Amino acid sequence: MTDTVERIKCLIIGSGPAGYTAAIYAARADMKPIMYTGMEPGGQLTTTTEVDNFPGYPEGIDGPTMMIQLQQQAERFGTEVRMGMVTSVELNKTHGGIHKVEIDNGSTLEAESIIIATGATAKYLGLPSEQRLRGGGVSACAVCDGFFFKGQEVAIVGGGDTAAEESTYLANICSKVTLLVRKGEMRASKAMQHRVNNTPNLEVKYFTEIEEVLGDQVVEGLRLVNNQTGEKEDIKVTGLFIAIGHKPNTEIFKGQLEMDETGYIITKGKSTKTNIPGVFASGDVQDKEYRQAITAAGTGCMAALDAERYLAAVESKEEVEA
Ligand code: NDP
């Protein structure tokens, strides 16, 4: 008996809000999508506690529950959700071409269309105390978790646009925000720095790094060190936000898909089309600016619609515009 390679219409890679929303739309359009969940089924939201800003949940919902419900909704319409990782892809540059995909269990798939929803991973400092207190006051998303620190004193680390934007966002909610920058200046745009410097309850500490996050079950403070003088200082905070960048999960597509200098997939205009026909990108893997569950879900929907139109055009032997 010879091994037959499985041929599918629509492969979805990644299982965050973008992937599941794409799956719901693709399944309802009878594209019989197959999803590979990746290393972290459910994506970044499974590391969040409460999601308060996704429309339709007036009382909020915890991240893992929301992802299970999205999975159930996708499965209700016939999405096949498989645990596993896509390890490599061989993307076909021709219109209507078949893309080859290797899975970590050793199997090979042939896909007529691919929706990439592999997301991005927040970078952390890597301190043991920081990792231990993730979910206990350490967060990589101020917009998601800032509200839980209303009226409290918090710190945020980073010197880029994200740190600048999130520190001013937090200053609207919290009584005091301390922004920790490891260099003597911020990398953020001048306009963003201007906003930081003009926010009264926002203090910037330059040349400052975190030596340890203090607290047993929850964050109680930080031990800081000035990297010029070696001087140490403890500050009291109940929350620590990490804003030192994200890494898009695009390794397996390098050299085949157009990406920006930081590895985010470039999509065309307002669509989710990549430079390869039949390959679409949605969610954080192509968005370094908004990075919200709801925006990821929106682009997941767009990717399924783009894929559906592409497959219809291939079937009717129409050339679609690139
Ligand atoms: P960036 O990579 O631009 O900045 C990361 C920051 O974190 C840098 O200041 C860096 O310091 C600091 N950092 C990195 N590692 C550590 C560490 N271990 N300890 C302390 N500090 C550390 O990431 P952003 O997320 O800020 O931005 C990503 C991209 O998205 C940028 O292109 C940005 O312009 C864009 N963006 C745009 C927005 C907008 O236009 N509204 C909003 C948010 C992001 P150092 O400078 O010393 O290297």
Side-chain angles (χ1 to χ4, degrees):
M1 203 177 88
T2 51
D3 275 352
T4 51
V5 173
E6 186 179 13
R7 165 78 72 96
I8 64 173
K9 265 188 160 174
C10 179
L11 170 68
I12 298 171
I13 313 176
S15 56
Y20 279 127
T21 307
I24 292 165
Y25 275 76
R28 283 169 57 86
D30 211 18
M31 289 154 71
K32 303 190 171 36
I34 290 182
M35 171 191 283
Y36 277 89
T37 59
M39 282 276 274
E40 189 179 50
Q44 286 187 78
L45 274 190
T46 55
T47 63
T48 322
T49 41
E50 196 78 4
V51 180
D52 262 351
N53 53 7
F54 200 96
Y57 295 101
E59 305 304 325
I61 182 163
D62 71 276
T65 305
M66 183 179 164
M67 297 321 297
I68 289 167
Q69 291 184 350
L70 276 175
Q71 178 175 346
Q72 289 168 344
Q73 193 174 355
E75 286 175 334
R76 179 156 76 94
F77 300 112
T79 304
E80 189 179 330
V81 178
R82 298 180 184 171
M83 298 286 282
M85 290 273 291
V86 170
T87 51
S88 70
V89 294
E90 203 180 297
L91 304 178
N92 190 320
K93 289 182 187 149
T94 54
H95 175 75
I98 301 299
H99 311 290
K100 272 201 183 145
V101 177
E102 304 280 338
I103 312 297
D104 62 353
N105 63 7
S107 63
T108 304
L109 277 180
E110 289 183 345
E112 292 171 32
S113 69
I114 298 179
I115 295 174
I116 299 168
T118 46
T121 307
K123 291 184 194 163
Y124 283 86
L125 301 169
L127 298 168
S129 54
E130 169 208 49
Q131 292 306 306
R132 186 167 47 79
L133 291 164
R134 271 174 71 173
V138 173
S139 163
C141 181
V143 179
C144 320
D145 298 328
F147 187 75
F148 305 115
F149 299 88
K150 197 171 181 180
Q152 301 174 33
E153 296 194 11
V154 301
I156 174 165
V157 56
D161 281 326
T162 303
E165 195 168 82
E166 295 198 342
S167 60
T168 51
Y169 174 85
L170 288 168
N172 276 328
I173 304 167
C174 304
S175 58
K176 185 183 173 192
V177 178
T178 307
L179 173 57
L180 308 168
V181 181
R182 67 179 174 181
K183 285 192 183 141
E185 57 182 4
M186 293 183 77
R187 189 194 291 195
S189 67
K190 289 281 173 272
M192 294 299 291
Q193 289 191 45
H194 186 72
R195 267 175 64 188
V196 166
N197 294 330
N198 284 289
T199 305
N201 59 336
L202 172 48
E203 181 192 355
V204 188
K205 282 183 187 285
Y206 292 101
F207 293 119
T208 304
E209 293 179 40
I210 299 173
E211 191 174 272
E212 195 182 342
V213 186
L214 307 172
D216 212 15
Q217 304 293 320
V218 292
V219 174
E220 290 167 12
L222 300 175
R223 177 148 308 142
L224 305 178
V225 58
N226 181 305
N227 59 25
Q228 302 294 295
T229 62
E231 205 176 308
K232 294 186 185 185
E233 176 195 7
D234 287 358
I235 63 166
K236 278 194 172 169
V237 289
T238 50
L240 170 64
F241 291 88
I242 313 291
I244 61 171
H246 284 73
K247 190 178 177 299
N249 301 318
T250 51
E251 278 303 319
I252 55 171
F253 308 109
K254 286 214 164 115
Q256 300 188 64
L257 289 183
E258 274 174 24
M259 297 177 191
D260 72 6
E261 67 292 347
T262 48
Y264 285 86
I265 295 173
I266 295 172
T267 50
K268 293 184 180 178
K270 285 185 182 169
S271 79
T272 62
K273 292 175 194 168
T274 68
N275 58 307
I276 301 276
V279 179
F280 306 90
S282 61
D284 287 12
V285 77
Q286 52 83 58
D287 168 27
K288 62 179 164 195
E289 196 170 331
Y290 299 105
R291 293 196 300 246
Q292 299 303 299
I294 187 69
T295 50
T299 56
C301 158
M302 288 161 62
L305 296 176
D306 285 342
E308 184 188 357
R309 285 174 196 153
Y310 167 81
L311 290 174
V314 169
E315 204 160 303
S316 62
K317 300 200 170 27
E318 261 172 47
E319 274 290 333
V320 275
E321 42 159 327

